[in-house]
Amino acid sequence: MKLILLGPPGAGKGTQAQRLVDKHGIPQLSTGDMLRAAVKAETEVGKRAKAVMDAGELVSDEIVNAIVAERIDQDDCAKGFILDGYPRTLAQADAVADMLAERGLHLDVVIELVVDDKALVGRILKRAEEAKAAGQPVRKDDNAEVFDERLREYYKKTAPLIGYYYANDLLKQVDGMAAIDDVTAQIDAVLADTLRN
Ligand code: AMP
């Protein structure tokens, strides 16, 4: 099963991806997590990405496409994977389609978490507070100012993917404002349906 979780920052993609990992035994490929690891390790990619990420803007397609291409060739991706936070531009969407086609693979489904923008900044601030309370590092981009830019980037560059995947007959929408367990149940239903067809 190869699927994409689509939605703005704070939509709950990471939370739901983690549940899918536990249930289906396929890895979560979060480009945000991979980039943060690169920043921490001070790799060449990390050095190039840091300022862009701190500003809430998107890292170049070239960088993220290369990271994902390398990652999907690892053994744990053989049964499938969950793309979380990737693709984020139309060029990335084309790149992932090509990447998969080159390997004789294809995407099974794209699940959009439909959310109310007004709730998002609150969710992001809560995530920052929870990380702090748990003694974990707080993401530098989890604050109200940078969040504004992240949401703008989403509408400018990522939201067009909704139409793109709809046109490709891959889009399924779930209500991301429902309780976490309900969202999981909706996603389970979509996946069961996808596997049946
Ligand atoms: P996330 O953890 O998905 O919210 O991503 C955090 C930040 O990493 C984003 O604001 C971007 O700067 C960068 N990033 C993550 N994934 C991508 C992507 N697919 N394309 C470009 N930039 C990305």
Side-chain angles (χ1 to χ4, degrees), residues 9-10 13 30-33 35-36 49-50 52-61 64-65 68 84-89 92 124 127 139 141-142 146 150 153:
K13 302 184 296 295
S30 156
T31 41
D33 285 349
L35 289 166
R36 279 185 288 280
K50 187 178 184 317
V52 179
M53 292 173 74
D54 287 350
E57 292 162 13
L58 293 189
V59 173
S60 75
D61 292 334
V64 286
N65 289 339
V68 173
D84 161 13
Y86 177 90
R88 256 178 159 98
T89 64
Q92 291 177 23
I124 290 282
R127 176 163 80 188
R139 279 176 54 167
D141 58 353
D142 272 354
V146 180
R150 290 164 66 195
E153 285 282 82

Side-chain angles (χ1 to χ4, degrees), residues 8 12 21 24 51 65 76 83 86 94 103 109 113 122 156 163 184 197:
V21 168
H24 298 275
N65 289 339
D76 63 334
L83 292 172
Y86 177 90
D94 284 337
R103 292 161 175 81
V109 66
L113 302 181
K156 236 185 323 193
T184 305
N197 294 313

